[in-house]
Amino acid sequence: MQIALDAMGGDHGPEELIGGALLAVKQSSLQVTLVGNQQILQAHLDRLRSDDIGSSQIQIVHAAEVVEMGESPVDAIRKKKDSSVLVAFELVRQGLADAAVSAGNSGATMAAAVRKLGRMEHVSRPGIASIFPTLKKPVVMMDVGANVDCRPQHLFQFAVMASAFSHIFDIDRPRIGLLSIGEEVGKGNTLVKETYARLAASSLNFVGNVEGRDVFQGDVDVIVCDGFVGNICLKLSEGLAGAAMQMLKDEIMKSTAAKIGYFLARPAFRAFARRVDYAEYGGAPLLGVNGIGIICHGKSSAEAIKNAILEAAKMVEKQVNQRIIEGLAANAQDEELVI
Amino acid sequence: MQIALDAMGGDHGPEELIGGALLAVKQSSLQVTLVGNQQILQAHLDRLRSDDIGSSQIQIVHAAEVVEMGESPVDAIRKKKDSSVLVAFELVRQGLADAAVSAGNSGATMAAAVRKLGRMEHVSRPGIASIFPTLKKPVVMMDVGANVDCRPQHLFQFAVMASAFSHIFDIDRPRIGLLSIGEEVGKGNTLVKETYARLAASSLNFVGNVEGRDVFQGDVDVIVCDGFVGNICLKLSEGLAGAAMQMLKDEIMKSTAAKIGYFLARPAFRAFARRVDYAEYGGAPLLGVNGIGIICHGKSSAEAIKNAILEAAKMVEKQVNQRIIEGLAANAQDEELVI
């Protein structure tokens, strides 16, 4: 299997990204194509590659341009035809790669995926799914930012797509929750109430509304919401996890005993930090396009990039897109009934 | 100053509530009226009251009925005319109390406040403000659940009302942020974009959009959002704080050194838990009615009830409602311009 990696995007530069690619090929039989400036990438690769990695496992495809983090996604994708992110998705389009991964400008990655791969049939709006850590299994939330104003059919399609994606965790019949402000039917805003009826009438494994406090309990596999709410949840969680650790450390620094305690418990703190670090779970797939694309945090470490590459491969292996097509087809009739 | 406390509502029963009232009168010159079953309350009070509390500081007003936690708020308020929560707000209406506090059924508390006190002039929709802990000063988020489908004028009014409320923290010119999915103007859903224009054109101290990750940074004093988003943020934060502590403890339990470390750092953990415990900040005021009402968590401890009573007194002292009236009047003309 061949994964194209935009090796120029991201806050840490090509070195970290190539490091991630090397970690991925070392622990799998995957092949990774690094996309970007040939000369720069080759120089890093020569330095980083160990002898046990065959030349067939890592190759470079040249792309002359780079979309910068601050650029307007739409403009960048229109003007920089030879940018690493567009070339990576062009490889997927041509069947030369099975999936593309980028830690560059998120908007540009999304725009490149939609432009090169096109929307899937029956999908009104592609969306971004994100994996949240919970007390039990990870939960998939969708949409987390691609679509800020949604209609019920969009949320319904997110449910189908996120369920298909959750198969990468070997979940057979994913339990779907609708994010709302009360568990009872009838709770929520107009969008949620209308979506509830549609989900309840479908063949999906819809378990009802879930509240904000349920997100981290892990009692559902998929949480559906519009991209405005989902994006706020995602960033609020990141912000709170960081702020909570900071507050706890502030308290610990107030006493010597607590400082010693912290020193002794440090491995546990590190393990905890990894557990709540979103980057550890790989990246956020853009679902609803004819191909596989994963959007990573700009700040992704080599470890996070490795996880995103393995996640992309898992999506291919688990036939996520085929499941989406089947899921949408199976519910096309229900949808008509509920509209 | 006289605060009416619904002494029957809440998960822990009258004992905890009366405990909170006693704590409040001990450390202030406030008077608290306990509202509820005379016999039950008197029995608890006789047992709990210490000699240093004068009989003028705590009195009981009888109410024969109680709205249960699971009841439909609308039905309950219509049928149970002599319920403790309605009687508490009736005292405010008659000027016999300056504010009412309840830890009972939240919906019923809101309904009782609106029915007894009425909406303020120029307020389309009363809303609930909630205090979030941050790395710096607490931040006030509004609305957190009263209004799930909002229009820009509602969010604008929330900004005015939450700013007035934030004066209880002695903030002179509260910085107002609009919760969105990007800091730049133009980011967000339709509601947010329209609200942005209105806030920017007003005399309020509007600093622009804030993202989910900014909520806990404490760089703004007020965060404005619709009640659907705000309620999800509130419950997500509570859920995440709890889940994060659980995950950290799970990791700590894996090693003896970490367990010893935790033991040594326990006071810091406790201080942290208090810092992120919403109940510690008192309750959530219902703003936009002609009087002061505070909605507390059902699970409020005596300490939390005490804080809510002191918070209610602070709202009276800081003339929060007068500030709301002035704020709405000052911006009435701007509003016309922006509509």
Side-chain angles (χ1 to χ4, degrees):
Chain A
M1 205 183 295
Q2 184 73 250
I3 312 292
L5 174 67
D6 169 5
M8 305 301 287
D11 300 341
H12 302 311
E15 191 164 354
E16 196 76 21
L17 300 164
I18 296 172
L22 291 169
L23 287 174
V25 298
K26 252 183 214 163
Q27 71 173 73
S28 71
S29 58
L30 293 174
Q31 296 174 305
V32 175
T33 302
L34 306 172
V35 183
N37 183 296
Q38 169 86 40
Q39 214 177 335
I40 294 172
L41 298 184
Q42 190 66 56
H44 282 296
L45 190 56
D46 289 345
R47 199 163 42 79
L48 294 168
R49 174 158 59 188
S50 52
D51 291 337
D52 57 332
I53 296 172
S55 60
S56 70
Q57 277 199 278
I58 289 260
Q59 41 175 299
I60 297 171
V61 164
H62 181 67
E65 295 170 296
V66 180
V67 177
E68 304 298 335
M69 294 307 260
E71 266 185 278
S72 150
V74 179
D75 289 354
I77 292 303
R78 201 169 42 215
K79 287 181 198 155
K80 296 184 168 174
K81 303 280 184 219
D82 199 25
S83 59
S84 53
V85 66
L86 269 174
V87 172
F89 279 101
E90 174 64 20
L91 293 176
V92 179
R93 192 186 72 77
Q94 290 183 14
L96 297 171
D98 298 287
V101 172
S102 176
N105 183 317
S106 303
T109 305
M110 202 164 72
V114 173
R115 163 175 289 217
K116 289 291 182 184
L117 307 178
R119 268 194 295 131
M120 265 182 189
E121 203 184 352
H122 299 307
V123 170
S124 317
R125 305 241 197 111
I128 301 168
S130 182
I131 302 165
F132 279 62
T134 80
L135 291 174
K136 297 164 197 155
K137 277 199 162 185
V139 63
V140 177
M141 186 180 279
M142 183 171 180
D143 176 33
V144 296
N147 306 282
V148 292
D149 288 299
C150 291
R151 291 198 298 277
Q153 64 265 37
H154 303 140
L155 265 63
F156 182 83
Q157 292 170 7
F158 298 158
V160 172
M161 295 194 276
S163 296
F165 173 68
S166 76
H167 280 88
I168 71 162
F169 299 118
D170 299 314
I171 294 162
D172 221 24
R173 200 165 148 62
R175 293 156 300 173
I176 301 164
L178 179 61
L179 190 58
S180 189
I181 63 165
E183 291 186 359
E184 310 85 347
V185 50
K187 290 274 185 179
N189 58 15
T190 307
L191 173 64
V192 161
K193 287 184 216 169
E194 290 177 12
T195 305
Y196 191 106
R198 192 173 279 230
L199 285 169
S202 76
S203 63
L204 295 170
N205 188 12
F206 177 54
V207 299
N209 290 342
V210 292
E211 294 188 80
R213 67 167 67 92
D214 304 323
V215 171
F216 302 99
Q217 293 302 311
D219 292 328
V220 293
D221 303 303
V222 166
I223 293 178
V224 175
C225 58
D226 71 54
F228 183 80
V229 170
N231 189 270
I232 287 172
C233 286
L234 180 63
K235 290 179 181 163
L236 189 80
S237 304
E238 290 176 346
L240 178 55
M245 284 305 283
Q246 188 55 51
M247 288 182 201
L248 185 54
K249 281 184 188 164
D250 289 351
E251 296 299 337
I252 283 168
M253 287 306 139
K254 287 178 186 168
S255 101
T256 307
K259 275 189 234 178
I260 296 168
Y262 173 67
F263 181 77
L264 289 170
R266 215 156 46 167
F269 274 86
R270 287 215 196 94
F272 164 73
R274 271 198 304 279
R275 202 163 150 190
V276 298
D277 183 2
Y278 290 71
E280 287 295 316
Y281 293 82
L286 178 73
L287 302 176
V289 292
N290 293 308
I292 289 170
I294 294 201
I295 301 169
C296 298
H297 269 275
K299 67 177 171 80
S300 291
S301 62
E303 186 72 19
I305 295 296
K306 178 201 78 177
N307 289 336
I309 291 169
L310 298 177
E311 181 188 354
K314 194 100 184 176
M315 286 178 70
V316 176
E317 183 198 319
K318 290 286 180 179
Q319 302 188 289
V320 168
N321 280 357
Q322 186 55 35
R323 287 177 197 271
I324 292 176
I325 291 166
E326 288 165 10
L328 290 172
N331 285 287
Q333 204 187 350
D334 298 337
E335 262 193 83
E336 303 298 327
L337 287 172
V338 185
I339 281 168
Chain B
M1 203 182 298
Q2 184 72 251
I3 312 291
L5 173 67
D6 169 5
M8 304 302 285
D11 299 342
H12 301 312
E15 191 165 352
E16 196 76 21
L17 300 164
I18 296 172
L22 292 170
L23 288 173
V25 298
K26 250 182 218 167
Q27 69 172 75
S28 71
S29 59
L30 292 174
Q31 296 175 305
V32 176
T33 303
L34 305 173
V35 183
N37 183 296
Q38 169 87 40
Q39 213 176 339
I40 294 172
L41 298 184
Q42 192 65 57
H44 283 297
L45 190 57
D46 290 344
R47 200 163 42 77
L48 294 167
R49 174 157 60 187
S50 52
D51 291 338
D52 57 332
I53 296 173
S55 60
S56 70
Q57 275 198 278
I58 288 262
Q59 41 175 299
I60 296 172
V61 165
H62 182 66
E65 295 169 295
V66 180
V67 177
E68 304 298 336
M69 294 305 258
E71 266 185 280
S72 150
V74 179
D75 289 356
I77 292 305
R78 199 168 45 216
K79 287 180 198 155
K80 296 183 168 175
K81 303 279 186 222
D82 199 25
S83 58
S84 53
V85 67
L86 269 175
V87 173
F89 279 101
E90 174 64 19
L91 294 176
V92 179
R93 193 186 71 78
Q94 292 182 14
L96 297 172
D98 298 286
V101 172
S102 176
N105 184 317
S106 304
T109 304
M110 201 163 72
V114 173
R115 163 174 290 215
K116 289 291 182 185
L117 308 178
R119 267 194 295 131
M120 265 182 188
E121 202 185 351
H122 298 308
V123 170
S124 317
R125 306 241 198 111
I128 301 168
S130 182
I131 301 164
F132 279 63
T134 79
L135 291 174
K136 297 164 197 156
K137 275 200 166 187
V139 63
V140 178
M141 187 180 278
M142 183 171 181
D143 174 34
V144 296
N147 306 283
V148 293
D149 288 298
C150 291
R151 292 198 297 276
Q153 63 266 37
H154 303 140
L155 265 64
F156 181 84
Q157 291 171 6
F158 298 158
V160 172
M161 295 193 275
S163 296
F165 173 68
S166 76
H167 280 88
I168 69 162
F169 299 118
D170 298 312
I171 295 164
D172 220 24
R173 197 164 151 64
R175 294 156 300 175
I176 301 164
L178 179 61
L179 190 57
S180 188
I181 64 165
E183 290 186 359
E184 309 85 345
V185 50
K187 289 273 185 181
N189 58 15
T190 307
L191 173 64
V192 162
K193 286 184 217 171
E194 289 176 13
T195 306
Y196 191 105
R198 193 174 278 232
L199 285 169
S202 77
S203 64
L204 295 170
N205 188 12
F206 177 54
V207 300
N209 290 341
V210 293
E211 295 189 79
R213 68 167 66 91
D214 305 323
V215 171
F216 302 99
Q217 293 302 313
D219 293 328
V220 292
D221 304 303
V222 166
I223 293 178
V224 175
C225 56
D226 71 54
F228 184 81
V229 170
N231 188 270
I232 287 173
C233 285
L234 180 63
K235 290 180 182 162
L236 189 80
S237 304
E238 290 175 345
L240 178 56
M245 286 303 282
Q246 189 55 51
M247 287 183 203
L248 184 54
K249 280 184 188 163
D250 288 350
E251 296 298 338
I252 285 168
M253 287 306 140
K254 288 179 186 168
S255 101
T256 307
K259 275 189 234 177
I260 296 168
Y262 173 68
F263 181 78
L264 289 170
R266 216 157 47 169
F269 274 85
R270 286 214 197 93
F272 164 74
R274 272 199 304 278
R275 202 163 149 189
V276 297
D277 183 1
Y278 290 70
E280 287 294 318
Y281 293 82
L286 178 72
L287 302 176
V289 292
N290 292 309
I292 289 170
I294 293 201
I295 301 169
C296 298
H297 268 276
K299 66 178 172 77
S300 291
S301 62
E303 185 72 20
I305 295 297
K306 177 201 78 178
N307 289 337
I309 291 169
L310 299 178
E311 181 188 352
K314 193 99 185 178
M315 285 178 70
V316 177
E317 183 198 318
K318 290 285 179 178
Q319 301 187 292
V320 168
N321 280 357
Q322 187 54 37
R323 286 176 198 272
I324 292 177
I325 290 166
E326 288 166 8
L328 290 172
N331 285 285
Q333 205 186 348
D334 298 335
E335 262 193 85
E336 303 298 327
L337 287 173
V338 186
I339 279 168

